[in-house]
Amino acid sequence: MAQTASSEIPDFAKGDGMVPAIAQDHQTGEVLMMAYMNPESYAETLATGRAVYFSRSRNKLWRKGEESGNVQLVKSIFVDCDADTILLKVEQLGGAACHEGYKSCFFRQVTPAGLNVVGQRVFDPKQVYKK
Amino acid sequence: MAQTASSEIPDFAKGDGMVPAIAQDHQTGEVLMMAYMNPESYAETLATGRAVYFSRSRNKLWRKGEESGNVQLVKSIFVDCDADTILLKVEQLGGAACHEGYKSCFFRQVTPAGLNVVGQRVFDPKQVYKK
């Protein structure tokens, strides 16, 4: 799968072998999260239709939802003008993309008075992730 | 401005002094672009209400729209759960965020047959940017 003709798009070389990937709800347009993809995770995303990222902290493929069940079904994929950022339009199963149980990871708004939680909590992380 | 109490949010230390910042149309939800912010550009964004990024290629502040006039008026700012990514909801003046003249930088869709231009071109870059 690494031998595709369009191996320069996305241009993984720019960011040390990884590019940022934004996941957006395909229906509402809500931005759910941002993570990183390497060529292997991108290829697996294309092949399976499910979002697969590369976890920088764990240094391995991150099949989104493999523990929580909150898989992202990929509806369409876009690349930006510089080919160094990916945009995924997804159907977020389980209703929440964030490991803290919110629909979107961007559940905190910056205000002059500090951070304000504006997101809706969909699940309790303690019940979904067992150590 | 660097001496704010909440200097750890966003957490610029994680990404070598920069964090990704996603700009989204505040009305339509369309994702317009992704760029980077350092503490200085973030502080100027907060202070002016206009999106200011840090250009990695030019290694300096990038006051979005300073050449094209396509300024981004910031309507709201969010941070993600890890505090290492910023989401800006903006009003994009001039109708186009992309230097290639498209409304969104994500104007190309990945399809099995290759890249497909799906975005609408709003302006001709040659007429907007003079060398």
Side-chain angles (χ1 to χ4, degrees):
Chain A
M1 217 150 356
Q3 299 84 0
T4 57
S6 60
S7 60
E8 290 173 3
I9 291 180
D11 184 356
F12 292 102
K14 265 193 197 170
D16 290 332
M18 284 180 291
V19 299
I22 302 161
Q24 181 182 30
D25 185 294
H26 76 116
Q27 285 187 319
T28 67
E30 186 169 5
V31 174
L32 300 174
M33 57 178 283
M34 204 218 71
Y36 291 85
M37 285 189 175
N38 67 352
E40 191 183 354
S41 64
Y42 179 69
E44 188 171 314
T45 298
L46 289 183
T48 64
R50 293 175 171 211
V52 178
Y53 302 100
F54 184 80
S55 169
R56 297 181 302 170
S57 57
R58 287 173 286 161
N59 199 39
K60 63 172 194 173
L61 286 193
W62 169 27
R63 295 178 178 90
K64 171 70 182 160
E66 80 187 320
E67 191 178 353
S68 65
N70 293 341
V71 166
Q72 292 175 339
L73 304 179
V74 177
K75 301 296 184 178
S76 51
I77 303 178
F78 302 82
V79 292
D80 75 344
C81 45
D82 296 328
D84 59 3
T85 307
I86 294 169
L87 173 65
L88 306 173
K89 297 199 179 183
V90 305
E91 178 185 348
Q92 175 64 64
L93 298 191
C98 183
H99 72 289
E100 295 198 23
Y102 292 91
K103 186 174 181 196
S104 163
C105 292
F106 298 94
F107 60 85
R108 296 178 298 174
Q109 183 170 358
V110 177
T111 77
L115 292 180
N116 190 16
V117 172
V118 294
Q120 43 178 314
R121 201 156 214 167
V122 176
F123 67 75
D124 178 356
K126 290 194 208 99
Q127 302 197 329
V128 170
Y129 303 98
K130 317 118 198 165
K131 262 286 181 204
Chain B
M1 221 158 343
Q3 299 85 359
T4 56
S6 59
S7 58
E8 291 172 4
I9 293 182
D11 185 355
F12 292 102
K14 266 193 196 168
D16 290 331
M18 282 180 293
V19 298
I22 303 162
Q24 181 182 31
D25 185 294
H26 76 116
Q27 285 187 319
T28 67
E30 186 169 5
V31 174
L32 301 174
M33 58 178 282
M34 205 218 71
Y36 292 84
M37 285 189 175
N38 67 352
E40 191 183 354
S41 64
Y42 179 70
E44 188 170 315
T45 298
L46 289 182
T48 65
R50 295 175 169 210
V52 178
Y53 302 102
F54 184 80
S55 170
R56 296 180 303 169
S57 57
R58 287 173 286 162
N59 198 39
K60 63 173 195 174
L61 286 193
W62 169 26
R63 294 177 178 91
K64 172 68 181 159
E66 79 187 319
E67 190 177 354
S68 66
N70 292 343
V71 166
Q72 292 175 340
L73 304 180
V74 177
K75 301 296 184 178
S76 51
I77 303 178
F78 302 83
V79 291
D80 76 344
C81 45
D82 295 328
D84 59 3
T85 306
I86 294 169
L87 174 65
L88 306 172
K89 297 201 179 182
V90 305
E91 178 185 348
Q92 176 63 64
L93 299 191
C98 183
H99 72 289
E100 294 197 25
Y102 292 90
K103 185 175 181 196
S104 163
C105 293
F106 298 93
F107 60 85
R108 297 178 297 173
Q109 184 172 359
V110 177
T111 77
L115 292 179
N116 190 17
V117 172
V118 294
Q120 44 176 316
R121 201 157 215 167
V122 176
F123 67 76
D124 178 356
K126 290 194 207 99
Q127 301 198 328
V128 170
Y129 302 98
K130 317 117 198 165
K131 264 286 182 203

